[in-house]
Amino acid sequence: MASSSGPALNEELQCSICLEVFTDPVTTPCGHNFCRSCLSKCWTDTQTCFCPLCKETFSKRPDLKINTILREVAQHFKEKLSLGEPEVFCDFCSERKQKALKTCLTCQCSYCDSHLEPHLRVPRLKKHKLITAVENLEDYICQKHERPLELFCRDDQTCVCLSCSEGEHRTHNTVPIEEESQEKKNQLVQTQIDMQQMIQDRMKKIQEIKHSVELRKRNTEEEKSSSVKLFTDLIRSLERHQTELLKMMEKQQKAAEKRAEDLIKELEQEITELKRRNTEIEQLSNTDDHLHIIQMNSSLYSRPHTKNWTEIRIDSDVNVNSLYRSLTELKETLDGNVNEMLSQTGLTFVQTFAVDVTLDPDTANPRLILSDDGKQVSYGDIKQDVPENPKRFDSCVNILAKQGFSSGRFYYEVQVKGKTGWDLGVAKESINRKGNICLSPKNGFWSVILRNENHYEACESLPVSLSLKEKPEKVGVFVDYEEGLVSFYDVESRSLIYSFTGQTFTDKLYPYFGPYLIDKGKNSNPLIITPLME
């Protein structure tokens, strides 16, 4: 029987009322399946509804829905039968052979509608085992005892006859073939349900991805529109301030020219007066009329009272300090807004290169504790008994990821919330992992660290202290291998923390993690590799 899956599947998809493959199958509350029309006929003109198979009674008529999955399976099976299986003819038709409807396993013969009639009427024949007409009858008969295969041996996973069950299978777990068939059918239906659910889940995921792309597209358009408006407003503001500055400079220049003109006119008047008096003095000096000299205006004998021109000057500097300060402040604001905008846009861009990162236990310092999924690492007080491994950090409490990258771009995010110390970054495959380690690009590490809760540092050859406006709770790490770039982002504020630029990478790079020491219990939280939100 195992050689032919078709008949077995036929029984699993067979309505127990009409003994045919299901048509619009419905499921009763007790879990049995029937053709909808067959079940409707059974419940016609009856006050009590019950299952035709197990006889369970229902307090009210169930509202039956078509089992769409079972219907599709049955339909597929019908199509397969119509395409691939040969017709079975009646063994008792003498002249023109009629198509057989049923095969009797007891008689080991197939019958058309006419010759089947005694099996439906005669009490002795009604006890015979009838199945849908089959051509390969030998698959349904025990070859050893020539009796119908009516039982299933669960120990040997094979169909047996009654004689087999009383002989070599006597101590085995045997059940009626209908029971095993029903269980297999239930498994088949459940498998179909699971597959349908998988299909639905994947279709839903497709819709989610499409929705995310569409939402991102709309957000991008909105951001583009906002950015254009911002730059347009800033340009207009700059143009307005430029016009005001030029007008002020022109006004001050005209005022300076007017003052210079007035001063020159006053100086020229004083020069004329001085020349006149100088002529009078010269004339007196050349006369011999002593009485006239004595009687002349006494003012000629003293220095004339004129303005002190020593401190008077025209300032050559343009006095536009107030407006210039305004422009400087505008530039600083503009630079801040643009930098913030570029930083946020930059994070959105690099997040598209997200990769799945898992911690590598073979590299973990013996005091590190890893989660089962390889996504969390924390420091433990007890040194664990781990195998010796040249890849393992033996002194520094660090660990690398399993995944390494030798080209392209990659990005991952790590939750650092509640920690007072941590190390994050990337490291070359060829780094030293034994003894004390100095974090620097020269030694194959590109990392940012936190110490003493608030001291952030970029580990350049000479450490760079970082001043952060907010304490990051999640840090994103981005690497562009070809560009020689390693950047760190505060994911929550969407701001850039630090970038190593102009680097040259030749080795494979691995994500690098260090949860640091517990710090009297204040730094016990793990580092958590977090997936990007959908």
Side-chain angles (χ1 to χ4, degrees):
M1 186 172 184
S3 64
S4 178
S5 61
L9 185 60
N10 190 1
E11 290 185 9
E12 293 171 0
L13 300 177
Q14 189 179 75
C15 173
S16 59
I17 298 175
C18 67
L19 301 180
E20 299 290 347
V21 177
F22 289 118
T23 300
D24 290 337
V26 294
T27 305
T28 59
C30 57
H32 295 121
N33 299 293
F34 307 93
C35 296
R36 182 169 62 174
S37 59
C38 295
L39 193 58
S40 297
K41 289 178 181 178
C42 285
W43 289 352
T44 301
D45 300 327
T46 180
Q47 297 294 328
T48 304
C49 296
F50 60 91
C51 174
L53 193 61
C54 68
K55 308 306 180 185
E56 180 178 342
T57 302
F58 312 119
S59 58
K60 62 178 182 178
R61 189 184 183 106
D63 182 18
L64 300 174
K65 306 284 187 193
I66 293 177
N67 187 330
T68 55
I69 297 175
L70 186 56
R71 180 177 63 180
E72 291 176 5
V73 174
Q75 182 62 34
H76 177 73
F77 181 74
K78 286 180 181 179
E79 294 173 356
K80 181 180 178 182
L81 283 179
S82 63
L83 291 174
E85 293 192 359
E87 289 185 338
V88 179
F89 295 99
C90 177
D91 291 326
F92 290 88
C93 289
S94 57
E95 296 181 359
R96 183 179 180 182
K97 292 285 188 181
Q98 298 296 316
K99 183 177 179 181
L101 294 180
K102 298 292 181 180
T103 295
C104 177
L105 297 182
T106 307
C107 301
Q108 299 186 25
C109 294
S110 297
Y111 301 93
C112 66
D113 189 25
S114 298
H115 291 107
L116 181 63
E117 188 272 335
H119 278 78
L120 302 178
R121 175 176 49 83
V122 179
R124 181 176 58 82
L125 296 177
K126 289 174 69 174
K127 296 179 181 180
H128 288 192
K129 180 72 173 178
L130 293 175
I131 63 173
T132 301
V134 294
E135 185 181 41
N136 52 331
L137 183 59
E138 64 275 8
D139 288 339
Y140 296 80
I141 304 298
C142 176
Q143 300 302 307
K144 182 177 181 180
H145 302 105
E146 295 186 352
R147 298 185 66 180
L149 296 171
E150 298 180 279
L151 300 171
F152 183 78
C153 176
R154 287 180 170 170
D155 293 343
D156 295 337
Q157 291 292 299
T158 186
C159 294
V160 297
C161 67
L162 284 173
S163 297
C164 293
S165 68
E166 295 169 355
E168 58 184 298
H169 295 272
R170 182 176 63 257
T171 60
H172 293 183
N173 179 18
T174 58
V175 296
I177 199 168
E178 292 81 4
E179 180 180 334
E180 183 67 19
S181 174
Q182 182 62 43
E183 184 171 326
K184 289 285 195 300
K185 182 165 65 175
N186 292 339
Q187 293 176 2
L188 176 68
V189 172
Q190 185 59 49
T191 300
Q192 290 293 323
I193 292 173
D194 293 343
M195 291 175 62
Q196 190 69 20
Q197 185 61 49
M198 292 171 66
I199 292 171
Q200 294 296 327
D201 291 343
R202 280 150 183 76
M203 291 177 66
K204 182 179 178 181
K205 179 57 68 175
I206 289 173
Q207 293 303 316
E208 288 178 1
I209 293 173
K210 287 182 177 179
H211 176 71
S212 298
V213 171
E214 185 61 31
L215 182 61
R216 175 168 181 166
K217 182 179 180 181
R218 289 202 301 268
N219 291 339
T220 299
E221 292 301 322
E222 291 175 2
E223 289 294 329
K224 285 168 62 178
S225 178
S226 299
S227 300
V228 170
K229 185 178 184 302
L230 173 62
F231 280 112
T232 301
D233 291 343
L234 289 172
I235 290 171
R236 288 175 179 171
S237 179
L238 283 172
E239 290 175 344
R240 185 171 64 254
H241 281 74
Q242 180 189 35
T243 301
E244 292 177 3
L245 178 62
L246 294 177
K247 285 182 178 179
M248 182 177 291
M249 293 171 67
E250 186 67 25
K251 183 178 180 180
Q252 290 182 356
Q253 178 62 27
K254 289 182 178 179
E257 291 176 357
K258 179 64 169 61
R259 175 166 172 74
E261 182 180 335
D262 292 343
L263 290 175
I264 290 172
K265 185 175 181 180
E266 189 176 351
L267 283 168
E268 288 176 344
Q269 289 175 351
E270 286 193 2
I271 290 172
T272 301
E273 180 62 22
L274 289 172
K275 285 182 177 180
R276 184 186 64 75
R277 295 187 65 175
N278 185 61
T279 300
E280 291 182 1
I281 292 173
E282 186 176 351
Q283 289 175 351
L284 282 175
S285 298
N286 294 329
T287 184
D288 293 332
D289 187 348
H290 301 292
L291 181 60
H292 180 65
I293 293 173
I294 294 173
Q295 292 178 340
M296 282 297 296
N297 191 334
S298 60
S299 62
L300 291 176
Y301 297 100
S302 61
R303 184 183 180 87
H305 296 288
T306 60
K307 182 182 291 188
N308 183 4
W309 294 91
T310 306
E311 301 297 328
I312 296 176
R313 62 173 55 87
I314 298 296
D315 193 352
S316 61
D317 294 331
V318 180
N319 184 19
V320 290
N321 290 337
S322 176
L323 185 56
Y324 188 79
R325 280 197 301 271
S326 297
L327 284 173
T328 303
E329 292 172 358
L330 177 63
K331 179 181 180 299
E332 292 173 353
T333 303
L334 173 62
D335 289 344
N337 288 341
V338 171
N339 286 338
E340 180 180 0
M341 185 188 306
L342 291 177
S343 177
Q344 293 189 11
T345 304
L347 180 58
T348 301
F349 172 72
V350 301
Q351 284 177 328
T352 62
F353 298 98
V355 295
D356 185 22
V357 173
T358 307
L359 299 168
D360 184 0
D362 290 342
T363 67
N365 179 281
R367 291 187 180 274
L368 294 183
I369 302 173
L370 276 64
S371 62
D372 292 339
D373 63 359
K375 298 294 184 180
Q376 301 185 29
V377 59
S378 57
Y379 181 84
D381 290 328
I382 301 175
K383 187 175 182 180
Q384 302 177 80
D385 184 16
V386 293
E388 287 292 331
N389 193 318
K391 298 195 302 181
R392 190 180 305 282
F393 291 95
D394 65 349
S395 179
C396 295
V397 287
N398 300 329
I399 185 174
L400 300 180
K402 291 181 179 179
Q403 296 77 17
F405 305 87
S406 55
S407 63
R409 299 163 174 165
F410 63 93
Y411 173 85
Y412 61 95
E413 292 180 352
V414 184
Q415 180 176 305
V416 296
K417 184 177 180 180
K419 295 190 67 62
T420 61
W422 47 258
D423 301 5
L424 287 177
V426 292
K428 294 196 304 185
E429 186 174 26
S430 59
I431 55 169
N432 173 38
R433 310 180 191 205
K434 308 301 180 183
N436 292 326
I437 298 171
C438 178
L439 300 178
S440 70
K442 180 180 179 181
N443 293 329
F445 293 87
W446 291 265
S447 60
V448 168
I449 64 174
L450 168 65
R451 296 291 184 267
N452 301 322
E453 192 170 357
N454 292 305
H455 180 68
Y456 296 90
E457 198 172 88
C459 298
E460 295 273 15
S461 297
L462 294 176
V464 178
S465 182
L466 305 176
S467 178
L468 305 184
K469 294 180 181 180
E470 300 178 14
K471 187 178 177 67
E473 294 187 352
K474 187 183 293 183
V475 176
V477 183
F478 172 70
V479 176
D480 188 326
Y481 195 96
E482 281 73 23
E483 290 295 325
L485 173 69
V486 182
S487 294
F488 298 80
Y489 292 87
D490 181 342
V491 177
E492 303 301 326
S493 66
R494 306 188 67 79
S495 59
L496 179 67
I497 296 175
Y498 189 78
S499 286
F500 292 87
T501 59
Q503 308 298 306
T504 301
F505 301 132
T506 54
D507 284 21
K508 183 177 287 189
L509 297 180
Y510 288 83
Y512 158 81
F513 309 84
Y516 203 57
L517 307 178
I518 289 184
D519 190 17
K520 299 179 181 179
K522 293 189 295 183
N523 194 39
S524 58
N525 285 5
L527 291 176
I528 304 175
I529 303 170
T530 58
L532 267 69
M533 295 181 64
E534 297 291 345

